[in-house]
Amino acid sequence: VKVSFFETGRYRSPRPLPTEWPVPSGMYDPDAGARAYRDMLERLECVEEIGFDWISVSEHHYSPRILSPSPVVSAAFIAARLHRITIALLGPIVPHSNPVQVAEELAMLDTLAQGRLVVGLLRGTTNESLTYDLNPAEARERTDEGMELILRAWTEPRPFGWQGRHFQYRTISIWPRPLQQPHPPTYALGTSRESCEFAARHRLGCGVSYGSFEAVGKATRYYREQCARYGWQPSPEQIVYRANMIVAETDAEAHEILSQQPNRAPFTMRPGVRDAMATLDARNIAGEARAPVLSGALPTTFIGSPDTVVEQVRRCQDVVGAGVLDLSLYPPGSAELEPLMRALELFGKKVLPRIREM
Amino acid sequence: VVALEAPAHPGDPAALARAIGALGIDAFDLMGTSATAAAALELALHEPARVRSLVLEAPAALGGTEREARLERRLPDLAAPTLVLWGTADEAMPAAVRRVYAELIPGAHLVFVYAAARAIGADRPEAFAGVVADFLERREAFVISRAPTLIHP
C-alpha cells in the first residue's frame, strides 16, 4: 500500500476563534499565517524523508481549519521545495471553478513538478457552495460537466469549442499540456453513485474519504462493478482512501488523544443555513442516501498503537481495497504540532515499514 | 430552411446544385448530418461561390471507401467557413477519423456539444440550435462572446 500525507496548513491562532463557518476574516493573524506555511514546509521535508509516497493538498475556504483556498498555489510551492515526492492535488472544487483554467493550471503544475502530479476532481463540501455563490442544486451537474471538460482540454489536439449545459466556450487550446501523457493520474473523488460511475466511464481512479471501512467499501465495490461494466479493471492504486489516523505508543494513549479533540463537525454553518443546505445538497454512498454531517467530528478510522493500526490497515485492505491511504495524522485543524511530529515519527518507524508490502 | 433528401450518389454534386438552383436559391448555407455530410462536402467543393458556410453535424463522410479517401484528399480545397459539431457521448466514431475534418478543412471550427450522442440536434436541441444559429449569423466571428454578464444595471 502507498501512503499519502494530507497536509492541512495547521494554522495556530493566537486567540480563540469562533467555530462557525465562515470564520471572520478580521480574526486572521498574518504572522500566524506566515508561521503556519513556514512550519508546513519543515514538516513536509520530514514527510518526504520518512518515506511517504505522496503529499496531498485540498481546497477549502473562509476558515483556518485547512488553510488552502488555492491548492494549486500550495502544490506549486511544495513542488518547488521538495524534489522526489508526488504532489496530490485532491482537489480543485470543480463546480465553482472555470474548468479550462483548472486544466491549464494543472497541466502547468505537472510540467513544473516534472511529472510528479496526481489529480483528484471533486464537488466540494456542502459549505463551499456558499464560497462563490454557487447554486447547490446545480453542483452535481456542474461537477460532471466540468470534469469532462477538463479531460477534453488536456487531450484534444486542436482548438475546440464547448457547448455545454453549464459551461460554454468557443475557443480552447491549452498550453502547456501535461507532462504526463495523456494526463496525470486522475481520480474522481466522492462516494456517490454519480462520481463512481463517472470515474468508471472515463477510466479514472476513485477517491473516498472519512467514512467507516464498511461505508466507503460500499462505494469502492460499486466503483469496481462499474469499471467491469465498462470492460476494465482498476489497479489497486486507482483507489484512494482519505482517513484520520491517531497513532500513539499504546491504544490507551491514542484514545486519550482522540477524547481530547473537540467533537464538532468540520465546517459548522448557522442552523438555518445548515438545514436549508441539507435539503438542497443531497449526498449518497453508491446510490444509498447519506445523512448530512450536521454535528460530530469526522470519524477516526485508524486509531491505536502501531500494532493495532497495522491490523486496521490490513482489515481496510480487505474491506475497502484502497492501494493508497491518504492520511490525516492527528486531526486536521489541531493546533498542536509537537504531538503531530511525534506521531509522524512513530508512524514512519513502526507502521510504514509494515504496511508498505501489504 | 430547405431540407433536401439525401442524394443516392453523394459523388455527383451537380444534380444537387441544379435542384437548389431550380428553387431559385443562388447562395446558401449548407448543413450535412451524419452520412449526408458527404454530399454536403462534395457540393461545397463543387460550388465554392454559392456555399457561404457549411455545418457538419457528427459527419460520417470519411474513413472507409476509395471515394471517401478521394474526398479526404480534397478537403484542404474547401473554401467555406465550416462548423464541425460532435457530441461528447458519441462513441461510434474513432477519434482518429473524427479529428481529420478539423485538421484538413482550412476554415474549420470544432465544437463539442456536451451530453449529446450522434443525433446532436435531437439530444440537445437548444444547444444545437444556439451554436448553429450563431455560426450562420456571424460565421467565424461567432467565437466572440456576446453573452451578457451584467447583473444589476
Side-chain angles (χ1 to χ4, degrees), chain A residues 339-355:
Chain A
L340 167 64
M341 294 311 284
R342 279 204 303 278
L344 250 180
E345 199 182 331
L346 187 62
F347 177 83
K349 276 195 186 137
K350 298 197 173 162
V351 180
L352 185 56
R354 294 164 64 192
I355 63 173

Side-chain angles (χ1 to χ4, degrees), chain A residues 141 143-146 148-149 152 155-172 177 198 201-202 230, chain B residues 87-89 91 98-99 102-104 109-115 123-124 126-128 130-132 134-135 138 142-144 147:
Chain A
E141 268 210 15
T143 304
D144 285 354
E145 184 181 336
E148 201 159 316
L149 177 49
R152 180 73 66 177
T155 52
E156 193 60 30
R158 299 198 64 81
F160 68 95
W162 183 266
Q163 188 79 351
R165 284 203 168 99
H166 296 280
F167 300 102
Q168 179 178 306
Y169 300 90
R170 290 277 156 84
T171 309
I172 302 169
R177 291 176 73 180
F198 186 96
R201 183 155 39 96
H202 293 275
Y230 285 100
Chain B
T88 59
E91 279 153 16
R98 172 171 67 64
R99 285 174 180 160
E103 259 164 39
L104 295 186
H109 198 96
L110 170 66
V111 171
F112 289 99
V113 180
Y114 175 65
D123 289 345
R124 299 275 321 280
E126 297 88 353
F128 177 77
V131 68
V132 171
D134 200 10
F135 179 74
R138 301 195 286 155
F142 91 128
V143 296
I144 304 163

Side-chain angles (χ1 to χ4, degrees), chain B residues 4-146:
Chain B
L4 296 160
E5 200 164 311
H9 303 289
D12 175 22
L16 203 51
R18 279 196 305 278
I20 294 169
L23 293 168
I25 299 167
D26 181 29
F28 52 91
D29 303 294
L30 182 62
M31 181 160 89
T33 185
S34 196
T36 65
L41 283 163
E42 292 285 1
L43 183 54
L45 284 161
H46 187 260
E47 301 279 339
R50 293 176 68 196
V51 176
R52 292 184 303 218
S53 70
L54 184 62
V55 176
L56 302 175
E57 179 198 18
L62 306 174
T65 65
E66 177 51 35
R67 187 185 57 73
E68 288 173 337
R70 276 201 307 277
L71 177 59
E72 183 174 328
R73 284 195 292 277
R74 291 164 62 214
L75 290 183
D77 301 330
L78 198 66
T82 302
L83 175 64
V84 184
L85 294 170
W86 296 106
T88 59
D90 180 355
E91 279 153 16
M93 186 66 68
V97 177
R98 172 171 67 64
R99 285 174 180 160
V100 170
Y101 298 91
E103 259 164 39
L104 295 186
I105 299 172
H109 198 96
L110 170 66
V111 171
F112 289 99
V113 180
Y114 175 65
R118 191 117 279 264
I120 302 170
D123 289 345
R124 299 275 321 280
E126 297 88 353
F128 177 77
V131 68
V132 171
D134 200 10
F135 179 74
L136 294 183
E137 182 192 337
R138 301 195 286 155
R139 309 272 161 72
E140 285 155 318
F142 91 128
V143 296
I144 304 163
S145 176
R146 53 183 181 184

Side-chain angles (χ1 to χ4, degrees), chain A residues 4 35 64 81 83 88 120 126 133 176 187 194-195 211-212 221 228 246 257 259 262 266 272 276 287 303 305 321 339:
Chain A
S4 168
R35 168 118 199 243
R81 300 298 191 92
H83 300 289
T126 301
D133 275 4
Y187 299 78
E194 293 86 350
S195 161
S212 65
R221 198 164 51 246
I246 296 178
I257 292 169
S259 70
I303 180 163
S305 68

